[in-house]
Amino acid sequence: MRRDRLGLAARVAANVGALLPLGVLLFVVAADRLSANPIEDVTRRLGTDALLMLTLSLAVTPAVALITRTNPYVGRLSRVTPRGEAAVPTPDRSPAPGPSRRVAAAIWPLRRTFGLFAFLYAALHLFVFTVVDYGSRPSLLADAVAKKPYALAGLTTFILLIPLAVTSTATWQRRLGRAWERLHMLVYPAAGLVVLHFLWAAKVVTTNRLIWAASLAGLLLVRLPLWLLAARSAGWRQRRREN
């Protein structure tokens, strides 16, 4: 029961916190407190919000690894809980105590929560750019994609995020099985393209943008030793079964 309350509290806090930037943006728009270039301001705000949500989503796995002191990629399968959420990893001989496991189980489903909000903000970001700013004119949009690398990187990122959002449900997880895990590896090239999009879109690359890019790149790089250790463990287990 306590675990359910902790998980519920985490989900409520995550959803409220993820909606907060949208609420702030709507207030700023309604109060006419945007900059001298309101369309550019709204586009930038939505893009930053999408980046924040993607960063939070990618931060969950390292956080679980730190809390439980285990490797989430060892023996990981696309298991689904009765609520339709990916089950928290349970590697063999986990040294994590009960409370740590409960905290990890509470925050593990937030990968999906923040990932879906990242898609929502990215979709709004793209809508303002294509419809509000460019008026849905194909010739102007094609010219922008062809001549502006950041536009091409952003569009490619959004295309990569579409199948991740569509297949984020428990039904798709069960239907795809292990292929679901491979499909959702697309989040990593998408994150890399987001970094490029974020840096290329700036007229001047500020320290703030570099910090954002470094944070996202760090969350990708921290997975490398986890993947290598998981691959080594899988090879050892395979050899043990063969012997």
Side-chain angles (χ1 to χ4, degrees):
M1 195 60 148
R2 184 183 304 173
R3 181 182 304 177
D4 291 340
R5 289 200 299 268
L6 184 60
L8 176 61
R11 290 192 295 274
V12 170
N15 280 277
V16 172
L19 284 171
L20 187 59
L22 183 58
V24 171
L25 176 59
L26 292 176
F27 171 78
V28 170
V29 172
D32 196 21
R33 296 185 179 179
L34 294 170
S35 66
N37 190 339
I39 295 178
E40 180 181 346
D41 195 2
V42 171
T43 305
R44 177 182 54 79
R45 286 171 179 263
L46 289 170
T48 302
D49 295 337
L51 176 63
L52 172 61
M53 295 301 125
L54 183 59
T55 302
L56 290 174
S57 179
L58 290 173
V60 172
T61 296
V64 167
L66 184 63
I67 292 171
T68 62
R69 302 192 298 279
T70 61
N71 186 345
Y73 295 108
V74 174
R76 177 167 144 190
L77 296 176
S78 300
R79 295 180 294 114
V80 180
T81 66
R83 287 193 180 92
E85 300 154 348
V88 65
T90 54
D92 297 339
R93 298 183 298 279
S94 170
S100 295
R101 294 292 306 168
R102 287 196 292 272
V103 172
I107 68 173
W108 184 252
L110 302 187
R111 295 186 313 158
R112 176 176 179 268
T113 301
F114 290 129
L116 288 175
F117 273 106
F119 180 77
L120 170 64
Y121 283 112
L124 292 174
H125 174 73
L126 182 64
F127 174 81
V128 173
F129 178 78
T130 57
V131 178
V132 180
D133 195 3
Y134 280 76
S136 300
R137 286 173 284 186
S139 59
L140 291 180
L141 291 171
D143 187 65
V145 172
K147 295 182 178 179
K148 299 177 180 179
Y150 75 85
L152 178 59
L155 179 61
T156 305
T157 300
F158 185 74
I159 292 173
L160 291 177
L161 291 178
I162 291 174
L164 305 188
V166 171
T167 62
S168 64
T169 64
T171 300
W172 275 106
Q173 282 186 298
R174 287 191 292 266
R175 185 179 299 175
L176 295 177
R178 292 195 176 187
W180 186 90
E181 290 283 353
R182 293 193 293 271
L183 174 64
H184 279 248
M185 294 285 282
L186 289 175
V187 71
Y188 303 123
L193 286 170
V194 164
V195 173
L196 295 178
H197 173 70
F198 191 62
L199 294 177
W200 286 343
K203 295 181 175 67
V204 177
V205 179
T206 61
T207 302
N208 183 53
R209 285 182 178 265
L210 289 175
I211 291 174
W212 272 110
S215 299
L216 199 55
L219 288 173
L220 295 179
L221 292 175
V222 76
R223 285 166 161 76
L224 288 177
L226 296 176
W227 283 333
L228 292 174
L229 289 173
R232 182 178 179 183
S233 175
W236 178 82
R237 292 185 183 189
Q238 180 65 29
R239 289 192 298 272
R240 186 177 179 181
R241 284 195 296 268
E242 291 174 353
N243 293 332

PDB file of all heavy atoms in Angstrom, residues 53 71 161 167 225 235:
ATOM      1  N   MET A  53      11.976  17.993 -20.742  1.00  0.00           N
ATOM      2  CA  MET A  53      11.266  16.731 -20.531  1.00  0.00           C
ATOM      3  C   MET A  53      12.078  15.533 -21.013  1.00  0.00           C
ATOM      4  O   MET A  53      12.124  14.486 -20.365  1.00  0.00           O
ATOM      5  CB  MET A  53       9.915  16.763 -21.259  1.00  0.00           C
ATOM      6  CG  MET A  53       8.942  17.782 -20.714  1.00  0.00           C
ATOM      7  SD  MET A  53       8.554  17.531 -18.970  1.00  0.00           S
ATOM      8  CE  MET A  53       8.974  19.149 -18.313  1.00  0.00           C
ATOM      9  N   ASN A  71      22.803  -2.587 -12.202  1.00  0.00           N
ATOM     10  CA  ASN A  71      22.815  -2.204 -13.608  1.00  0.00           C
ATOM     11  C   ASN A  71      21.450  -2.519 -14.212  1.00  0.00           C
ATOM     12  O   ASN A  71      21.102  -3.684 -14.391  1.00  0.00           O
ATOM     13  CB  ASN A  71      23.913  -2.969 -14.347  1.00  0.00           C
ATOM     14  CG  ASN A  71      24.082  -2.505 -15.784  1.00  0.00           C
ATOM     15  OD1 ASN A  71      23.233  -1.813 -16.334  1.00  0.00           O
ATOM     16  ND2 ASN A  71      25.176  -2.896 -16.408  1.00  0.00           N
ATOM     17  N   LEU A 161      10.714  10.560 -32.736  1.00  0.00           N
ATOM     18  CA  LEU A 161       9.930  10.476 -31.509  1.00  0.00           C
ATOM     19  C   LEU A 161       8.517   9.938 -31.739  1.00  0.00           C
ATOM     20  O   LEU A 161       7.891   9.418 -30.808  1.00  0.00           O
ATOM     21  CB  LEU A 161       9.834  11.854 -30.851  1.00  0.00           C
ATOM     22  CG  LEU A 161      11.121  12.427 -30.257  1.00  0.00           C
ATOM     23  CD1 LEU A 161      10.869  13.812 -29.686  1.00  0.00           C
ATOM     24  CD2 LEU A 161      11.688  11.506 -29.179  1.00  0.00           C
ATOM     25  N   THR A 167       4.017   3.815 -29.535  1.00  0.00           N
ATOM     26  CA  THR A 167       4.192   2.472 -28.959  1.00  0.00           C
ATOM     27  C   THR A 167       4.530   2.510 -27.472  1.00  0.00           C
ATOM     28  O   THR A 167       5.074   1.546 -26.937  1.00  0.00           O
ATOM     29  CB  THR A 167       5.305   1.715 -29.704  1.00  0.00           C
ATOM     30  OG1 THR A 167       6.554   2.429 -29.552  1.00  0.00           O
ATOM     31  CG2 THR A 167       4.996   1.585 -31.179  1.00  0.00           C
ATOM     32  N   PRO A 225      29.190   2.648 -19.999  1.00  0.00           N
ATOM     33  CA  PRO A 225      29.702   1.584 -19.133  1.00  0.00           C
ATOM     34  C   PRO A 225      28.628   0.604 -18.686  1.00  0.00           C
ATOM     35  O   PRO A 225      28.904  -0.585 -18.521  1.00  0.00           O
ATOM     36  CB  PRO A 225      30.282   2.363 -17.934  1.00  0.00           C
ATOM     37  CG  PRO A 225      29.653   3.703 -17.983  1.00  0.00           C
ATOM     38  CD  PRO A 225      29.415   3.984 -19.425  1.00  0.00           C
ATOM     39  N   GLY A 235      27.348 -12.200 -22.159  1.00  0.00           N
ATOM     40  CA  GLY A 235      28.284 -13.141 -22.761  1.00  0.00           C
ATOM     41  C   GLY A 235      28.720 -14.206 -21.774  1.00  0.00           C
ATOM     42  O   GLY A 235      28.837 -15.389 -22.122  1.00  0.00           O
TER      43      GLY A 235
END
